[in-house]
Amino acid sequence: MYSAKKITTHGQNTWVIPVAFFSILVVIITAVILHLNDGRFIYTLDDPYIHLALAENIIQGHYGVNLSEFSAPSSSILWPFLLAPFAQTTIGEYLPFIIAFGSCIAIIILFCSMLYGFAKRTFKSDILPRAAYYFIVAAGCAMPILVNLAGLTFIGMEHALQALCAIAVVAAFLKEYDEEVFPWWGIAGILIGPLVRYENAALSFLAIAVLFFQGRKQLAVVCFVFIISTLVAFSLFLHNLDLGFLPSSIVAKSRLQPRGVFPFSVIRSFASNLIKPQGLPFILGLILILLKIRVKEFRNIIILVAGAVLAHFAVGDILGRRYTAYMGVMLLLTVLFLYRDSIGEFLPHASQIMKAAVILFIVIATGTLIITETALTPIASNNLYEQQYQMHRLAKLYNKPVAINDLGFVSFRNNNYVLDLWGLASLKALKLRTNATSAEWPDTLCREHNAELVMIYDTWFPQVPTAWIRVGDITLSREKVAPDGKRVTFYAINQSAKTSIVPVLHRFKTMLPNRVKINIYE
């Protein structure tokens, strides 16, 4: 006879330990970050500072990172507007972390609550075998590590909110299957998802199609019209500002950029993602759910999830787990739903050796991820502290327009013009970079915007304009985890600029953390 544990009807007991585990993990990482960064909280990517800089100007009625021109550097429609109300306050810099952390907590609660619902249906009782309760708690602790929710919390971007929208949509359909009720938060996930990240549009439109063919045509049409009208309105807004129909960041990073006819670009992108090792977990997840496609009542949810994942493989990128976390949470939840009866049969009757083997496998698998990703989060933050944050300080000290190639911290809380040579904040720079036949185009742009100090990765520009003079560089003191380069090189665009920049670099040297190495070339 197996011991049992009564769980409340809302499943509170199943998520308490996972939420506590995740919160403790976040507190530990935060403490290490503050220790490494001399008490300064820094995100693990430079990108959130793009959104923060954009949000600073949105609240002033301007869309762009420079007040003197319009630009669309954000790959999210909604995210900068969420940050805007607090952008010029002390809390503004930390709001991305707060929203991401809250989103991750909500994901864990929803995930565990859904597993509890699956278990109640499998065992046909609110009273579960103790093994089932422990399984839910263990899965709730392992899931944040498997999809790297801690990493999403510290990157300071919209991906955690994106994952919450995705799991809300999938969980709503699963809940409807069991309880014949489609919760309001499922509709919210459908409507908000594409506004948080464009990738969620595939999931939302597939969800709308399912609703339509299930007979809820009015609801489906309303959702479709809302999403389409919002996306079109934002594209027209950008077009009216002479920024094209899509954000510059999407145009610059799109996997459909390679030359060729559109269908072939999609096929090329799909094949490229398919053969990458990072795609293996998602391929395995797809195989597991597609094995259940013969079960008629499961087909809608399988088509929904598999279709969204395949769409991402076709036009998205699987490099960088922030881009794929939303797929991970919905695939994992779907697999556990489809195989819940098999899991339910295994748990109460498995031998102690088999249970130990399963636990050992989970520990090894998740432990590897902790070491390779979660444990590197503080180092990634320290990279940004030693590089982008110091570049921000130099730009503020210089107090004139500067040119960079990796937009972010330099533009945050900086009223001087920041020329983005890579093109996320400058459509003209993007066009010149992608179409130029000469290495002199950056010099033309710098002179046009009076940007005499240039801070770039040399690896991004194998050839620099002939007039530029190398005046210095800074190098990371630790292993490179987050930035694209370990060293940033400083250039003056001419001899006159060098004369004014070198003294600033000497003052800047006294401000640097002791570990950061700087070279100044007289």
Side-chain angles (χ1 to χ4, degrees):
M1 186 166 181
Y2 299 92
S3 61
K5 184 177 182 71
K6 183 174 177 58
I7 314 297
T8 61
T9 54
H10 297 292
Q12 290 96 331
N13 291 346
T14 61
W15 57 258
V16 170
I17 294 176
V19 165
F21 168 77
F22 178 76
S23 300
I24 292 171
L25 182 62
V26 169
V27 168
I28 292 172
I29 293 174
T30 302
V32 177
I33 285 175
L34 294 176
H35 172 71
L36 293 179
N37 297 349
D38 302 320
R40 175 91 191 189
F41 181 85
I42 302 287
Y43 294 108
T44 58
L45 286 178
D46 203 26
D47 296 33
Y49 298 101
I50 300 175
H51 299 111
L52 287 168
L54 180 58
E56 285 179 318
N57 292 337
I58 287 176
I59 201 64
Q60 299 182 63
H62 176 79
Y63 198 81
V65 295
N66 293 302
L67 284 171
S68 59
E69 65 184 12
F70 297 112
S71 60
S74 173
S75 54
S76 171
I77 297 175
L78 184 61
W79 189 249
F81 290 95
L82 287 179
L83 305 180
F86 300 93
Q88 296 182 330
T89 67
T90 303
I91 197 176
E93 186 175 350
Y94 309 105
L95 188 58
F97 172 83
I98 295 170
I99 297 175
F101 179 70
S103 298
C104 290
I105 293 296
I107 289 170
I108 296 169
I109 292 174
L110 181 56
F111 181 81
C112 292
S113 298
M114 291 301 298
L115 293 192
Y116 172 68
F118 300 164
K120 283 201 305 180
R121 184 174 179 87
T122 297
F123 293 102
K124 299 180 176 58
S125 172
D126 288 352
I127 301 175
L128 307 181
R130 187 176 295 273
Y133 173 76
Y134 289 154
F135 175 83
I136 295 171
V137 171
C141 291
M143 180 274 292
I145 299 171
L146 289 170
V147 300
N148 197 27
L149 289 189
L152 294 192
T153 302
F154 289 95
I155 64 172
M157 294 184 69
E158 70 276 7
H159 298 86
L161 183 57
Q162 174 196 21
L164 176 59
C165 290
I167 195 174
V169 173
V170 174
F173 280 100
L174 298 181
K175 193 173 184 67
E176 182 189 38
Y177 177 85
D178 282 344
E179 303 177 15
E180 298 183 354
V181 174
F182 197 86
W184 65 267
W185 38 261
I187 301 299
I190 292 172
L191 297 177
I192 298 173
L195 308 184
V196 176
R197 290 285 297 182
Y198 279 88
E199 296 100 321
N200 278 41
L203 178 65
S204 290
F205 286 132
L206 284 167
I208 289 170
V210 171
L211 290 174
F212 186 87
F213 289 110
Q214 283 180 341
R216 284 167 293 190
K217 296 182 180 180
Q218 184 176 1
L219 175 60
V221 170
V222 169
C223 291
F224 180 80
V225 170
F226 174 84
I227 294 173
I228 287 295
S229 60
T230 306
L231 294 177
V232 170
F234 184 71
S235 291
L236 292 176
F237 166 72
L238 295 182
H239 182 70
N240 186 57
L241 301 178
D242 291 326
L243 298 174
F245 289 101
L246 289 172
S248 302
S249 56
I250 291 180
V251 176
K253 299 177 183 179
S254 173
R255 293 190 59 78
L256 302 182
Q257 283 275 357
R259 288 185 289 272
V261 183
F262 174 75
F264 296 104
S265 296
V266 171
I267 294 171
R268 186 186 301 113
S269 175
F270 185 85
S272 174
N273 282 326
L274 197 63
I275 62 175
K276 291 173 182 173
Q278 293 86 349
L280 182 59
F282 305 103
I283 294 171
L284 292 176
L286 283 174
I287 292 173
L288 285 173
I289 66 174
L290 290 174
L291 288 174
K292 295 286 188 176
I293 195 71
R294 295 180 183 178
V295 184
K296 185 177 180 180
E297 56 265 34
F298 292 161
R299 285 178 187 167
N300 284 341
I301 190 64
I302 291 173
I303 291 171
L304 174 68
V305 176
V309 173
L310 291 173
H312 187 101
F313 268 69
V315 298
D317 199 341
I318 61 169
L319 292 178
R321 296 187 61 209
R322 63 186 172 114
Y323 297 118
T324 58
Y326 81 103
M327 293 194 299
V329 294
M330 64 184 188
L331 263 176
L332 185 57
L333 183 64
T334 305
V335 169
L336 291 173
F337 166 77
L338 295 175
Y339 290 90
R340 60 183 177 178
D341 290 339
S342 299
I343 295 171
E345 292 174 3
F346 166 78
L347 286 174
H349 306 291
S351 68
Q352 295 300 317
I353 295 178
M354 180 63 72
K355 291 178 183 177
V358 171
I359 293 173
L360 181 62
F361 173 79
I362 293 174
V363 169
I364 292 174
T366 57
T368 301
L369 291 171
I370 290 175
I371 294 171
T372 57
E373 293 201 22
T374 306
L376 290 177
T377 297
I379 303 299
S381 172
N382 183 248
N383 286 170
L384 269 292
Y385 172 70
E386 292 188 345
Q387 191 175 97
Q388 277 78 7
Y389 176 59
Q390 304 308 325
M391 292 166 61
H392 163 81
R393 297 174 76 195
L394 174 58
K396 295 277 285 185
L397 180 66
Y398 182 58
N399 200 27
K400 295 178 183 179
V402 298
I404 46 90
N405 67 252
D406 196 14
L407 185 68
F409 219 141
V410 174
S411 60
F412 177 53
R413 293 181 177 168
N414 180 6
N415 293 326
N416 293 299
Y417 186 85
V418 177
L419 172 60
D420 176 20
L421 294 175
W422 202 247
L424 301 188
S426 171
L427 199 58
K428 183 175 182 179
L430 177 61
K431 291 177 179 178
L432 286 173
R433 177 175 65 81
T434 52
N435 300 315
T437 57
S438 167
E440 299 301 316
W441 67 267
D443 187 61
T444 302
L445 279 182
C446 286
R447 294 175 186 276
E448 180 180 322
H449 293 283
N450 298 315
E452 297 184 328
L453 171 62
V454 182
M455 300 182 280
I456 61 173
Y457 297 126
D458 283 333
T459 53
W460 287 31
F461 293 88
Q463 289 183 310
V464 298
T466 53
W468 287 10
I469 304 169
R470 186 179 182 183
V471 291
D473 57 57
I474 58 172
T475 306
L476 294 174
S477 66
R478 292 182 170 89
E479 175 188 359
K480 181 181 75 68
V481 175
D484 280 292
K486 190 166 185 176
R487 183 179 66 191
V488 174
T489 303
F490 306 137
Y491 289 93
I493 65 169
N494 52 42
Q495 185 62 44
S496 174
K498 177 182 177 181
T499 302
S500 64
I501 291 171
V502 169
V504 176
L505 290 178
H506 281 291
R507 293 203 304 274
F508 175 59
K509 185 176 182 178
T510 64
M511 301 165 53
L512 284 171
N514 293 331
R515 293 176 59 94
V516 179
K517 180 181 179 182
I518 181 170
N519 295 308
I520 301 175
Y521 304 102
E522 301 287 352

